Structures are given as C-alpha cells and as structure tokens.
Amino acid sequence: MNRRHCLLSLAVCALCAQTTLTRAAEPKVVKIGFVAPLTGSVARVGKDLQYGAQLALDEENARNPMIGGTPVKFVLDVQDDQADPRVAMQVAQKLDDDGVVGVIGHYNSGCSICPRRRSSASATRRASTRMSNCTRRLSTTRRSR
C-alpha cells in the first residue's frame, strides 16, 4: 500500500510539473495587422498580398521565434480597406484597438496617407506594400495647412 501511494504521488507530481512546463512554454501572441482591398475591383491583388503575408508569418512561426528570450507566435489581423480612404481610417482605428504592433498595407496610396498621419500619434508601425504617389500628396497636404 505504501509503495502504491508513493508511485501515485510521484505520478501526480510529474503530471503537475509537466503542466507547469507546458504553460511556461506557451508562446506570446504578437498581432500583425494587414490591410488591403479584399473586395472590389482590385481584390485579387489584395488577396495575393494577404496570402503572401500569411505565408511569411507561417514560415517564421515554424522556426519557433523568440523575442527577448520569450517564445512568440505571430498572428495576422486581416482587414479590408475596400480601396477607400474613409474606410482605411476606420480600419486603422480598429487595428489600434485590437492591439497590433505593426501593420502591413495599404495597397492604394490614398488609403495609406490618412492612417500614416494618424499613426504618428500612436505606437503602431506601418509598412506599405505599394505607394506610388504618397510623397506628392503628403507635400501638397502639408502646404495647405
């Protein structure tokens, strides 16, 4: 009886230790925002960009990345800006509310400009996939102030 009790106690302790180790090794979720026109006339381009971004995150997650010694898992927060600057501003606010640490997008220059101005006040970093006339529009906007 004493030996059986000892083995059962050892098994319970091992199970508890395994559960604790498993919880400690769970990766921290890092949200990366992705914004592109996923509906409308240029939706095919937006979907291609989305698939590329997801593939890149999947490849990085397969390497079991760590930031500062802590395991992390990258998750893509996908949003549709409908190639409309007004919707792009709403999407930018939603991504900030979702707690993303960075944003990949927008496809259209007009959709990139307003959220970039807005993001200067927030800690969210943005990387554009394509902006052809952003400099011209920003300089025009700055002169009109």
Side-chain angles (χ1 to χ4, degrees), residues 21-136:
L21 290 175
T22 303
R23 284 190 186 151
E26 287 181 16
K28 177 182 176 187
V29 173
V30 177
K31 288 185 181 180
I32 306 290
F34 173 84
V35 185
L38 304 175
T39 56
S41 61
V42 290
R44 64 178 176 73
V45 176
K47 292 302 275 183
D48 284 346
L49 293 171
Q50 177 189 350
Y51 297 147
Q54 186 62 58
L55 180 63
L57 290 185
D58 290 345
E59 288 177 356
E60 187 60 31
N61 284 334
R63 294 183 183 141
N64 300 316
M66 298 183 85
I67 297 177
T70 304
V72 295
K73 177 181 179 186
F74 297 108
V75 176
L76 201 61
D77 186 347
V78 178
Q79 300 294 325
D80 179 12
D81 67 8
Q82 302 171 11
D84 183 343
R86 289 169 293 186
V87 175
M89 284 299 291
Q90 295 169 354
V91 167
Q93 180 61 53
K94 181 176 183 331
L95 289 172
D96 284 345
D97 293 345
D98 287 350
V100 301
V101 296
V103 178
I104 302 168
H106 301 257
Y107 177 72
N108 305 82
S109 298
C111 292
S112 294
I113 294 169
C114 293
R116 280 191 185 281
R117 270 195 242 126
R118 187 187 171 291
S119 71
S120 63
S122 73
T124 305
R125 298 291 167 228
R126 300 183 186 275
S128 180
T129 54
R130 175 187 174 269
M131 288 195 313
S132 58
N133 59 355
C134 182
T135 306
R136 180 178 57 83

